[in-house]
Amino acid sequence: MGSIDIGVIFIFTLLVFICGMSFSKAGKNMKSYFAAGGALPWWMSGLSLFMSFFSAGTFVVWGSIAYSTGWVAVTIQWTMCIAGIIIGFFIAPKWQQTKAITAAEYISERLGKTTQKTYTYLFLFISIFTTGAFLYPVAKIVEVSTGIPITTSVIVLGVLILIYTAVGGLWAVIVTDVLQFIVLTAAVLIVVPLSFDKIGGINEFVAQAPEKFFEFTNSEYSWVFMIAFGLYNLFFIAGNWAYVQRYTSVATPKDAKKVGWLFGALYTISPIIWMVPPMIYRVLNPELGELADEGAYLLMCKEVLPIGMLGLMLGGMVFATSSSVNTTLNISAGVLTNDIYKNLFPNTTDKGLVKVARIATIALGILTIIIALLVPLFGGIVEVVMSLAALTGGAMFLPPLWSLFSKRQTGKTILTTTFISLTINAFFKFFAPDLIGVTLERAMEMVVGMGTPILILAAIEIYLAQTKSSTSAYDDYEVIRKQKEVDAKAEEDDSDNSNNKGTRVIGIGVVATGLLIVLLSFIGEYANFLVGGIGSAVMLLGAYIIYKTKQ
């Protein structure tokens, strides 16, 4: 990587950092800091949800699977599309109607404070490992591209991310996510055609690809796995506290539906586009060893991108992947502040709570950096992501989701389901191989992880219905929820001004990025017309966004 590429990385890093820091005064209170005022435009929230989830493993986790097994990686990600559509129809509007700032707030009101405290501690413990698993791919990308040691990358990037997340709150997260979406969309429209050209065209790629490279499933990732993993994605995207924030931060249930539908639509197309480069690289270089295939995507980019564009692609990939980190950091800090600290010190002012939130973000960011440094000791990022999914996805996120639709479930039944499911999952993952000689394959591990809480909750629901158990807890919650609806309508908020500012910052960032791409088209040795055309389109898009804010 040359000096121009490194310079482009620096410029893009500075641009993202400035965009995030421009919201340093946006956090006037808890609602503005953690929910962007509660009236976030649905398209911003949907794009942020996509980037927060999509970027966590696309380049490293799914890119590794695409290199090794081919089209299977696309099939895996299509399960996310189906999940998004279901969430849009049924679950996202339910979350918006709770009028809660965080999922923990909903759990407290619906299932009781004891249940909320237990889930809060579980969520915070798991989220530290989740954010560590998200930060590791960022550093891996930098290591593959620049040769900077992964330890150094983890520390530097982790510090940078936690600074602008702590300062700007949810608005910083949202705006930088949308900017990264635009940048990466532009970059991939350059990478894909150049990748096909490198291999001699689509027909040549198909002819040279390994046997069974375009099959939808294989022995490790079977249809059984796909169904179970699809359920995991449904529970995770619908119930993960970081993503719930995207449904509760928009103004109406209809907007919340659009957030889910936009996510599903993007995951219909993006898996095909994003998985092509690492699949092509398998044909170019089939000799990558274990764990080395985690860098297949970047290695393909290094093969085909003209001067400067590799730096922009790397910058976009780094900060897109880091959006998963800042999203989880923001909501975790929200839980610590809104659902723990605020309960302990109820007389704290809004200004004091925002200060606590920023300190919590920094503390969680430091723990995230430590976990990311330990990922290689856990067997690599693919193993970490899949194991976390099987162990915690259904057990943690399905029970509270179930309570959105059930009048009879209580805090006791929901917690019981979670603990039994976690115990069973942990037994088969860590103890069964030695104690009873049973080691579950990946598909069965996922089936057990998703199927156990479903069966337990269904059995409890049937029992509660037959015994005509009391719905008093639900009735009490409805009183609280309806009062919050009244308060929300009466509350004066400056969300329109914040929305205009957020859109304007996005527009300026997009124009600046488009200009940078156009300038790079003049110094590149090839593909100048393609790069210049994409850059001009990005500039026009940014100008249109700015124009809409003035209207």
Side-chain angles (χ1 to χ4, degrees):
M1 179 177 288
S3 58
I4 293 178
D5 286 298
I6 294 174
V8 169
I9 293 173
F10 178 78
I11 292 171
F12 185 71
T13 300
L14 188 62
L15 176 62
V16 171
F17 192 73
I18 290 173
C19 286
M21 294 294 287
S22 67
F23 291 92
S24 60
K25 297 181 180 179
K28 297 179 181 179
N29 53 46
M30 292 292 287
K31 189 173 183 180
S32 64
Y33 189 81
F34 289 116
L40 194 68
W42 66 267
W43 62 272
M44 284 190 192
S45 192
L47 290 177
S48 179
L49 175 64
F50 175 74
M51 291 306 297
S52 299
F53 187 79
F54 147 93
S55 56
T58 295
F59 307 116
V60 176
V61 178
W62 309 131
S64 171
I65 295 174
Y67 174 87
S68 303
T69 62
W71 196 265
V72 168
V74 176
T75 309
I76 292 173
Q77 292 176 79
W78 272 342
T79 65
M80 303 163 194
C81 159
I82 297 171
I85 293 171
I86 294 172
I87 290 166
F89 274 108
F90 303 109
I91 302 173
K94 277 282 189 181
W95 276 120
Q96 199 281 335
Q97 290 167 354
T98 66
K99 302 301 178 184
I101 294 179
T102 66
E105 182 179 318
Y106 160 76
I107 292 172
S108 177
E109 293 168 351
R110 170 67 179 86
L111 302 170
K113 290 189 176 181
T114 300
T115 304
Q116 177 258 325
K117 287 180 181 178
T118 305
Y119 269 110
T120 296
Y121 296 135
L122 282 172
F123 171 77
L124 290 174
F125 177 75
I126 292 171
S127 68
I128 292 170
F129 287 91
T130 302
T131 50
F134 289 164
L135 182 57
Y136 174 83
V138 187
K140 185 70 177 183
I141 289 169
V142 173
E143 181 190 45
V144 170
S145 301
T146 66
I148 296 175
I150 198 164
T151 301
T152 303
S153 300
V154 165
I155 295 172
V156 173
L157 290 169
V159 170
L160 188 65
I161 292 165
L162 72 87
I163 288 174
Y164 75 74
T165 304
V167 169
L170 183 60
W171 263 118
V173 175
I174 294 290
V175 168
T176 53
D177 282 354
V178 175
L179 177 60
Q180 291 148 18
F181 172 79
I182 300 296
V183 169
L184 286 176
T185 299
V188 76
L189 292 176
I190 297 172
V191 172
V192 170
L194 293 180
S195 297
F196 277 120
D197 184 65
K198 180 74 174 181
I199 202 66
I202 296 176
N203 292 335
E204 193 66 23
F205 167 56
V206 173
Q208 294 186 41
E211 187 179 358
K212 299 182 178 180
F213 207 54
F214 299 100
E215 293 189 356
F216 287 84
T217 62
N218 59 23
S219 57
E220 184 177 10
Y221 301 103
S222 63
W223 282 117
V224 173
F225 171 86
M226 297 300 174
I227 294 171
F229 193 62
L231 288 173
Y232 161 74
N233 282 315
L234 177 61
F235 304 155
F236 187 70
I237 301 166
N240 183 291
W241 294 8
Y243 305 145
V244 168
Q245 193 183 29
R246 299 301 183 270
Y247 316 132
T248 59
S249 297
V250 294
T252 67
K254 186 176 180 180
D255 285 345
K257 286 185 176 184
K258 292 178 182 178
V259 171
W261 292 339
L262 178 58
F263 178 90
L266 291 171
Y267 255 110
T268 304
I269 303 168
S270 63
I272 301 173
I273 299 173
W274 284 111
M275 293 302 99
V276 163
M279 289 172 67
I280 293 176
Y281 194 73
R282 173 66 183 273
V283 174
L284 284 177
N285 179 11
E287 303 300 325
L288 288 183
E290 186 178 357
L291 295 187
D293 57 8
E294 293 178 350
Y297 199 102
L298 249 296
L299 291 171
M300 187 70 246
C301 291
K302 290 176 74 172
E303 287 280 348
V304 301
L305 283 176
I307 188 169
M309 281 307 302
L310 178 60
L312 186 64
M313 184 70 174
L314 177 61
M317 290 169 74
V318 164
F319 281 98
T321 309
S322 70
S323 70
S324 299
V325 179
N326 59 37
T327 293
T328 307
L329 281 179
N330 180 258
I331 192 59
S332 298
V335 170
L336 275 173
T337 308
N338 189 62
D339 305 297
I340 295 180
Y341 187 89
K342 188 178 177 182
N343 287 332
L344 293 174
F345 305 98
N347 295 324
T348 307
T349 63
D350 284 337
K351 185 177 181 181
L353 287 173
V354 172
K355 183 178 180 180
V356 171
R358 287 174 172 147
I359 294 172
T361 303
I362 294 171
L364 289 167
I366 293 171
L367 289 174
T368 292
I369 292 170
I370 294 171
I371 294 297
L373 294 172
L374 299 176
V375 164
L377 301 179
F378 300 148
I381 189 63
V382 173
E383 181 63 27
V384 170
V385 169
M386 291 301 180
S387 294
L388 276 174
L391 281 169
T392 67
M396 273 291 297
F397 303 121
L398 176 59
L401 274 177
W402 194 289
S403 72
L404 284 171
F405 300 90
S406 172
K407 294 183 179 181
R408 301 186 187 277
Q409 295 283 351
T410 65
K412 185 177 180 180
T413 62
I414 293 298
L415 274 180
T416 298
T417 302
T418 291
F419 281 120
I420 292 176
S421 300
L422 286 174
T423 301
I424 292 173
N425 295 343
F427 173 78
F428 280 107
K429 179 66 179 179
F430 301 113
F431 303 107
D434 294 328
L435 293 177
I436 59 176
V438 175
T439 301
L440 297 181
E441 295 180 352
R442 183 155 285 165
M444 284 308 300
E445 185 179 65
M446 195 66 67
V447 167
V448 171
M450 300 307 112
T452 300
I454 292 175
L455 292 175
I456 295 173
L457 285 166
I460 292 174
E461 193 70 36
I462 293 170
Y463 171 78
L464 293 175
Q466 288 181 342
T467 57
K468 297 182 180 180
S469 297
S470 171
T471 61
S472 59
Y474 179 83
D475 296 335
D476 292 342
Y477 162 71
E478 274 295 289
V479 173
I480 297 172
R481 188 186 69 80
K482 288 178 180 178
Q483 183 59 50
K484 291 174 78 170
E485 283 187 344
V486 173
D487 294 341
K489 289 178 182 178
E491 187 178 66
E492 292 293 329
D493 198 274
D494 61 350
S495 57
D496 286 342
N497 291 332
S498 295
N499 290 346
N500 279 332
K501 179 181 179 180
T503 306
R504 187 166 59 252
V505 171
I506 290 171
I508 294 171
V510 172
V511 168
T513 302
L515 178 61
L516 180 59
I517 296 174
V518 169
L519 292 175
L520 291 175
S521 70
F522 289 105
I523 61 175
E525 298 177 353
Y526 57 92
N528 304 70
F529 181 77
L530 175 63
V531 174
I534 295 295
S536 299
V538 171
M539 285 183 65
L540 288 173
L541 175 61
Y544 175 75
I545 293 173
I546 296 172
Y547 169 74
K548 293 296 288 184
T549 63
K550 291 182 178 179
Q551 284 188 322

